[in-house]
Amino acid sequence: MEIWINPACSKCRSAISLLDAEGAEYTVRRYLEDVPGEDEIRAVLERLGLEPWDITRTQEEAARELGLKDWARDASTRDRWITALAEHPRLIQRPIITADDGTAMVARTEDAVQEALSRGKG
């Protein structure tokens, strides 16, 4: 199991605390320093079952600068969104947990973290 975090994010710190409390084995990925490439983002989106705009933090300064709110959200613009996430990793929603069963989830709540843990126990 891997968790993508920003250490400054309270939701990320909460998720880590919960994983630790449950004795989970996981790897921390500080995705702002170890930035995922476009192919890796595509793979995580596949595992999440989401589109790039679903995991984009549209309130970030970079999102405003890029004008993301005005970008179309369809197959023709999917690659453009993925490129933006790779070039501006602060836009990626966090934390993201990739579970041992091949799925992934945006783990912003305690319930989501628990779900990821249960998927890892299959």
Side-chain angles (χ1 to χ4, degrees):
M1 170 180 316
E2 182 175 79
I3 182 170
W4 291 11
I5 68 158
N6 172 354
C9 168
S10 63
K11 301 251 186 229
C12 293
R13 291 191 307 270
S14 294
I16 293 285
S17 293
L18 187 54
L19 291 174
D20 288 344
E22 294 291 330
E25 291 186 24
Y26 62 92
T27 302
V28 170
R29 169 125 181 224
R30 293 178 178 219
Y31 71 94
L32 297 179
E33 299 164 15
D34 183 7
V35 179
E38 291 182 25
D39 287 342
E40 194 170 7
I41 291 170
R42 280 186 189 87
V44 166
L45 287 167
E46 179 74 23
R47 292 175 76 170
L48 287 165
L50 297 173
E51 293 296 336
W53 45 85
D54 296 326
I55 65 162
T56 300
R57 299 171 53 85
T58 58
Q59 300 304 314
E60 291 287 328
E61 181 63 30
R64 288 191 289 279
E65 290 172 4
L66 292 168
L68 288 183
K69 286 190 175 184
D70 297 327
W71 288 15
R73 296 176 181 213
D74 58 33
S76 70
T77 60
R78 188 173 198 269
D79 286 342
R80 183 180 184 197
W81 281 88
I82 291 169
T83 298
L85 292 173
E87 291 177 356
H88 306 277
R90 284 195 181 278
L91 295 175
I92 300 172
Q93 191 58 264
R94 60 189 184 251
I96 292 176
I97 296 177
T98 55
D100 294 336
D101 71 351
T103 63
M105 58 191 345
V106 178
R108 295 187 55 77
T109 66
E110 185 173 324
D111 287 345
V113 176
Q114 291 290 354
E115 174 69 19
L117 283 166
S118 71
R119 291 179 182 187
K121 294 176 183 169

